[in-house]
mmCIF file of all heavy atoms in Angstrom:
data_model
loop_
_atom_site.group_PDB
_atom_site.id
_atom_site.type_symbol
_atom_site.label_atom_id
_atom_site.label_comp_id
_atom_site.label_asym_id
_atom_site.label_seq_id
_atom_site.Cartn_x
_atom_site.Cartn_y
_atom_site.Cartn_z
ATOM 1 N N ALA A 115 8.560 11.254 22.928
ATOM 2 C CA ALA A 115 8.470 9.733 23.332
ATOM 3 C C ALA A 115 7.181 9.351 23.943
ATOM 4 O O ALA A 115 6.701 8.218 23.722
ATOM 5 C CB ALA A 115 9.687 9.556 24.299
ATOM 6 N N THR A 116 6.683 10.166 25.019
ATOM 7 C CA THR A 116 5.486 9.682 25.613
ATOM 8 C C THR A 116 4.223 9.658 24.657
ATOM 9 O O THR A 116 3.508 8.640 24.757
ATOM 10 C CB THR A 116 5.127 10.604 26.745
ATOM 11 O OG1 THR A 116 5.068 11.922 26.294
ATOM 12 C CG2 THR A 116 6.001 10.445 27.918
ATOM 13 N N GLU A 117 4.179 10.616 23.748
ATOM 14 C CA GLU A 117 3.124 10.505 22.773
ATOM 15 C C GLU A 117 3.307 9.392 21.807
ATOM 16 O O GLU A 117 2.308 8.681 21.373
ATOM 17 C CB GLU A 117 2.968 11.825 21.975
ATOM 18 C CG GLU A 117 1.660 11.874 21.135
ATOM 19 C CD GLU A 117 1.610 13.016 20.337
ATOM 20 O OE1 GLU A 117 2.313 14.125 20.579
ATOM 21 O OE2 GLU A 117 0.857 12.886 19.257
ATOM 22 N N ARG A 118 4.550 9.061 21.376
ATOM 23 C CA ARG A 118 4.881 8.001 20.472
ATOM 24 C C ARG A 118 4.384 6.686 21.113
ATOM 25 O O ARG A 118 3.736 5.891 20.545
ATOM 26 C CB ARG A 118 6.358 7.834 20.276
ATOM 27 C CG ARG A 118 6.966 8.714 19.318
ATOM 28 C CD ARG A 118 8.131 8.197 18.700
ATOM 29 N NE ARG A 118 9.289 7.735 19.603
ATOM 30 C CZ ARG A 118 10.252 8.340 20.069
ATOM 31 N NH1 ARG A 118 10.527 9.559 19.629
ATOM 32 N NH2 ARG A 118 11.091 7.893 20.869
ATOM 33 N N ARG A 119 4.668 6.580 22.415
ATOM 34 C CA ARG A 119 4.371 5.336 23.072
ATOM 35 C C ARG A 119 2.763 5.133 23.108
ATOM 36 O O ARG A 119 2.315 4.110 22.771
ATOM 37 C CB ARG A 119 4.926 5.465 24.507
ATOM 38 C CG ARG A 119 4.878 4.164 25.248
ATOM 39 C CD ARG A 119 5.199 4.441 26.717
ATOM 40 N NE ARG A 119 5.036 3.260 27.473
ATOM 41 C CZ ARG A 119 6.136 2.397 27.851
ATOM 42 N NH1 ARG A 119 7.255 2.758 27.485
ATOM 43 N NH2 ARG A 119 5.840 1.194 28.485
ATOM 44 N N SER A 120 2.132 6.194 23.525
ATOM 45 C CA SER A 120 0.649 5.998 23.589
ATOM 46 C C SER A 120 -0.004 5.760 22.284
ATOM 47 O O SER A 120 -0.919 5.030 22.129
ATOM 48 C CB SER A 120 -0.016 7.213 24.406
ATOM 49 O OG SER A 120 0.235 8.385 23.617
ATOM 50 N N ARG A 121 0.527 6.509 21.272
ATOM 51 C CA ARG A 121 -0.146 6.359 19.887
ATOM 52 C C ARG A 121 0.183 4.931 19.408
ATOM 53 O O ARG A 121 -0.609 4.233 18.695
ATOM 54 C CB ARG A 121 0.389 7.380 19.016
ATOM 55 C CG ARG A 121 -0.381 8.751 19.237
ATOM 56 C CD ARG A 121 0.061 9.826 18.356
ATOM 57 N NE ARG A 121 -0.140 9.606 16.916
ATOM 58 C CZ ARG A 121 0.271 10.456 16.070
ATOM 59 N NH1 ARG A 121 0.892 11.609 16.361
ATOM 60 N NH2 ARG A 121 0.012 10.245 14.741
ATOM 61 N N ALA A 122 1.341 4.396 19.644
ATOM 62 C CA ALA A 122 1.806 3.044 19.209
ATOM 63 C C ALA A 122 0.873 2.044 19.785
ATOM 64 O O ALA A 122 0.374 1.145 19.207
ATOM 65 C CB ALA A 122 3.209 2.825 19.457
ATOM 66 N N LEU A 123 0.690 2.173 21.163
ATOM 67 C CA LEU A 123 -0.217 1.321 21.899
ATOM 68 C C LEU A 123 -1.658 1.357 21.396
ATOM 69 O O LEU A 123 -2.256 0.281 21.140
ATOM 70 C CB LEU A 123 -0.152 1.521 23.416
ATOM 71 C CG LEU A 123 1.196 1.263 24.112
ATOM 72 C CD1 LEU A 123 1.210 1.801 25.500
ATOM 73 C CD2 LEU A 123 1.496 -0.287 23.985
ATOM 74 N N GLU A 124 -2.132 2.457 21.057
ATOM 75 C CA GLU A 124 -3.484 2.756 20.507
ATOM 76 C C GLU A 124 -3.480 2.015 19.104
ATOM 77 O O GLU A 124 -4.583 1.334 18.897
ATOM 78 C CB GLU A 124 -3.668 4.101 20.301
ATOM 79 C CG GLU A 124 -4.999 4.694 20.399
ATOM 80 C CD GLU A 124 -5.003 6.194 20.279
ATOM 81 O OE1 GLU A 124 -4.472 6.899 21.155
ATOM 82 O OE2 GLU A 124 -5.380 6.722 19.142
ATOM 83 N N ALA A 125 -2.437 2.203 18.261
ATOM 84 C CA ALA A 125 -2.513 1.497 16.999
ATOM 85 C C ALA A 125 -2.414 0.005 17.171
ATOM 86 O O ALA A 125 -3.132 -0.715 16.374
ATOM 87 C CB ALA A 125 -1.243 1.996 16.187
ATOM 88 N N LEU A 126 -1.695 -0.484 18.041
ATOM 89 C CA LEU A 126 -1.650 -2.036 18.287
ATOM 90 C C LEU A 126 -3.020 -2.444 18.743
ATOM 91 O O LEU A 126 -3.483 -3.547 18.314
ATOM 92 C CB LEU A 126 -0.541 -2.322 19.224
ATOM 93 C CG LEU A 126 0.894 -2.258 18.667
ATOM 94 C CD1 LEU A 126 1.886 -2.430 19.895
ATOM 95 C CD2 LEU A 126 1.109 -3.382 17.720
ATOM 96 N N ASP A 127 -3.700 -1.634 19.598
ATOM 97 C CA ASP A 127 -4.967 -2.072 20.047
ATOM 98 C C ASP A 127 -5.893 -2.200 18.902
ATOM 99 O O ASP A 127 -6.761 -3.099 18.813
ATOM 100 C CB ASP A 127 -5.351 -0.976 21.079
ATOM 101 C CG ASP A 127 -6.678 -1.371 21.787
ATOM 102 O OD1 ASP A 127 -6.877 -2.584 21.978
ATOM 103 O OD2 ASP A 127 -7.465 -0.581 22.184
ATOM 104 N N SER A 128 -5.818 -1.176 17.923
ATOM 105 C CA SER A 128 -6.686 -1.138 16.807
ATOM 106 C C SER A 128 -6.552 -2.291 15.841
ATOM 107 O O SER A 128 -7.376 -2.580 15.028
ATOM 108 C CB SER A 128 -6.575 0.212 16.134
ATOM 109 O OG SER A 128 -5.371 0.131 15.238
ATOM 110 N N VAL A 129 -5.381 -2.970 15.973
ATOM 111 C CA VAL A 129 -5.167 -4.250 15.051
ATOM 112 C C VAL A 129 -5.304 -5.500 15.952
ATOM 113 O O VAL A 129 -4.943 -6.552 15.426
ATOM 114 C CB VAL A 129 -3.881 -4.223 14.417
ATOM 115 C CG1 VAL A 129 -3.792 -3.031 13.449
ATOM 116 C CG2 VAL A 129 -2.671 -4.106 15.259
ATOM 117 N N GLY A 130 -5.791 -5.374 17.162
ATOM 118 C CA GLY A 130 -5.986 -6.453 18.040
ATOM 119 C C GLY A 130 -4.866 -7.025 18.715
ATOM 120 O O GLY A 130 -4.803 -8.222 19.037
ATOM 121 N N LEU A 131 -3.880 -6.233 18.819
ATOM 122 C CA LEU A 131 -2.568 -6.694 19.499
ATOM 123 C C LEU A 131 -2.123 -5.990 20.734
ATOM 124 O O LEU A 131 -0.961 -5.946 21.009
ATOM 125 C CB LEU A 131 -1.449 -6.686 18.475
ATOM 126 C CG LEU A 131 -1.597 -7.651 17.263
ATOM 127 C CD1 LEU A 131 -0.408 -7.500 16.348
ATOM 128 C CD2 LEU A 131 -1.461 -9.111 17.853
ATOM 129 N N ALA A 132 -3.116 -5.475 21.427
ATOM 130 C CA ALA A 132 -2.859 -4.694 22.687
ATOM 131 C C ALA A 132 -1.934 -5.580 23.589
ATOM 132 O O ALA A 132 -1.072 -5.113 24.307
ATOM 133 C CB ALA A 132 -4.001 -4.269 23.351
ATOM 134 N N ASP A 133 -2.237 -6.877 23.661
ATOM 135 C CA ASP A 133 -1.518 -7.669 24.579
ATOM 136 C C ASP A 133 -0.194 -8.176 23.984
ATOM 137 O O ASP A 133 0.427 -9.120 24.678
ATOM 138 C CB ASP A 133 -2.407 -8.811 24.958
ATOM 139 C CG ASP A 133 -2.895 -9.707 23.817
ATOM 140 O OD1 ASP A 133 -2.895 -9.155 22.678
ATOM 141 O OD2 ASP A 133 -3.337 -10.801 23.980
ATOM 142 N N ARG A 134 0.165 -7.747 22.900
ATOM 143 C CA ARG A 134 1.411 -8.241 22.288
ATOM 144 C C ARG A 134 2.460 -7.129 22.222
ATOM 145 O O ARG A 134 3.482 -7.256 21.519
ATOM 146 C CB ARG A 134 1.269 -8.889 20.902
ATOM 147 C CG ARG A 134 0.406 -10.128 20.862
ATOM 148 C CD ARG A 134 1.222 -11.264 21.575
ATOM 149 N NE ARG A 134 0.575 -12.612 21.310
ATOM 150 C CZ ARG A 134 -0.404 -13.126 22.066
ATOM 151 N NH1 ARG A 134 -0.853 -12.366 23.029
ATOM 152 N NH2 ARG A 134 -0.901 -14.224 21.779
ATOM 153 N N ALA A 135 2.141 -5.979 22.899
ATOM 154 C CA ALA A 135 3.072 -4.850 22.667
ATOM 155 C C ALA A 135 4.479 -4.963 22.968
ATOM 156 O O ALA A 135 5.466 -4.574 22.346
ATOM 157 C CB ALA A 135 2.504 -3.729 23.474
#
Side-chain angles (χ1 to χ4, degrees):
T116 48
E117 190 189 336
R118 278 206 314 261
R119 191 189 175 101
S120 62
R121 284 176 63 183
L123 291 173
E124 210 176 288
L126 283 170
D127 189 29
S128 77
V129 298
L131 289 176
D133 57 344
R134 293 290 192 277

